[in-house]
Amino acid sequence: MASMGMQMLASALCLLGWAGVITSCILPMWRVTAFVGSTIVTSQTIWEGIWMTCVVQSTGQISCKPYESLLALSGDLQAARALVVLAIVTGSAGLVLAFVGGKCTRFLDEEGGGVKGKVAVAAGAVLIVTGLLCLIPTSWAAGSVVKRFYSATVDAQRREIGASIYIGWGASILLILGGGLFISSACPLNAHNTDKSPSVRYLVVRSSNGSSRAAQPSRVPPAKSQPVGAVLPRSQSYDGASTKPPLYTRPPWENGPQPEQH
């Protein structure tokens, strides 16, 4: 039950992270205008994303224009396009695997060999890769923004880190954490130790006079049982004259008076 709850928590984290990746991809707020210096124009704000650039007026009017050429973009935005789209695709595949390999679903229950656990481990690995695919372009774009901020000579050309990069960082952390929880729930570190020692059974021997005496405990396997008395073969002579084995052989641990034979 604990692993099922952990998988449900991991699924929720990964679903939020995947939604964050989509939000970071759509919003055109990877770079925003930095209001620094003495010459500040506060009448408009410039947003730059991986798909379009927008100008926000002080009146609240927003004008957006998509990029006309992919090759005109900088290297960090080109890499961000490819890696974020790939992260969305791999994230959807990881969520499907997590749904199939989750213990709260009925898929692959009839399959043996731990197939369901292997699917859960694969889902965790794919979700971790998704988080890394989102973390790489956001960190690259953030480093590029910081580098251009200190190298720009004109204040109007300075840009700061936008909200999309912060959302991408949060989504990456959620995906990596959720994938790790999936793997740990399918492969627990502390294995349950099973008692492989044979069980202890007490043998009760009933004597000839009707009284019962408990023998010493003997450790025997669960599926096997030991005979109380030994039976002589029919071909062996017991007293030299009779060829029939005795009806009852006294166990060696029963110390009682031997019955007289007439």
Side-chain angles (χ1 to χ4, degrees):
M1 295 300 292
S3 58
M4 182 183 298
M6 187 180 297
Q7 284 189 354
M8 294 180 66
L9 177 61
S11 301
L13 293 178
C14 293
L15 185 60
L16 289 176
W18 184 64
V21 175
I22 297 177
T23 304
S24 177
C25 178
I26 294 175
L27 288 181
M29 299 177 66
W30 286 63
R31 299 184 230 176
V32 297
T33 305
F35 297 104
V36 294
S38 57
T39 57
I40 301 176
V41 180
T42 58
S43 59
Q44 63 181 11
T45 304
I46 300 176
W47 295 346
E48 295 180 4
I50 61 177
W51 303 102
M52 64 185 71
T53 178
C54 299
V55 177
V56 182
Q57 304 294 334
S58 59
T59 58
Q61 183 180 2
I62 301 177
S63 307
C64 295
K65 179 182 179 181
Y67 296 117
E68 297 179 355
S69 176
L70 176 63
L71 299 178
L73 297 177
S74 58
D76 57 332
L77 294 183
Q78 292 181 10
R81 277 190 175 185
L83 293 178
V84 171
V85 172
L86 184 60
I88 294 174
V89 175
T90 56
S92 60
L95 289 176
V96 172
L97 291 176
F99 181 74
V100 173
K103 294 184 178 180
C104 57
T105 59
R106 305 297 298 175
F107 295 98
L108 302 178
D109 285 345
E110 298 178 356
E111 298 292 334
V115 178
K116 197 176 185 68
K118 294 178 182 179
V119 173
V121 172
V126 172
L127 291 171
I128 291 176
V129 172
T130 304
L132 294 177
L133 289 176
C134 182
L135 183 63
I136 292 173
T138 51
S139 302
W140 188 358
S144 178
V145 169
V146 172
K147 182 179 179 180
R148 293 180 182 180
F149 179 87
Y150 291 107
S151 62
T153 57
V154 182
D155 293 338
Q157 297 178 353
R158 296 179 186 270
R159 298 290 185 269
E160 289 184 350
I161 299 175
S164 296
I165 295 181
Y166 292 108
I167 295 175
W169 281 339
S172 302
I173 294 174
L174 291 177
L175 287 169
I176 294 174
L177 181 60
L181 288 178
F182 252 107
I183 295 178
S184 63
S185 64
C187 301
L189 298 179
N190 298 327
H192 298 285
N193 295 325
T194 57
D195 187 12
K196 298 181 179 180
S197 59
S199 61
V200 177
R201 295 183 179 181
Y202 291 88
L203 301 179
V204 179
V205 179
R206 185 173 298 276
S207 61
S208 60
N209 55 5
S211 61
S212 60
R213 180 179 300 176
Q216 295 181 355
S218 61
R219 191 171 289 270
V220 296
K224 298 180 180 179
S225 61
Q226 293 181 351
V228 177
V231 179
L232 295 177
R234 187 175 295 273
S235 61
Q236 183 179 358
S237 176
Y238 179 69
D239 53 357
S242 174
T243 59
K244 296 183 179 180
L247 299 178
Y248 175 77
T249 303
R250 188 180 300 275
W253 55 78
E254 184 176 353
N255 298 323
Q258 299 289 339
E260 297 182 358
Q261 297 181 1
H262 298 284

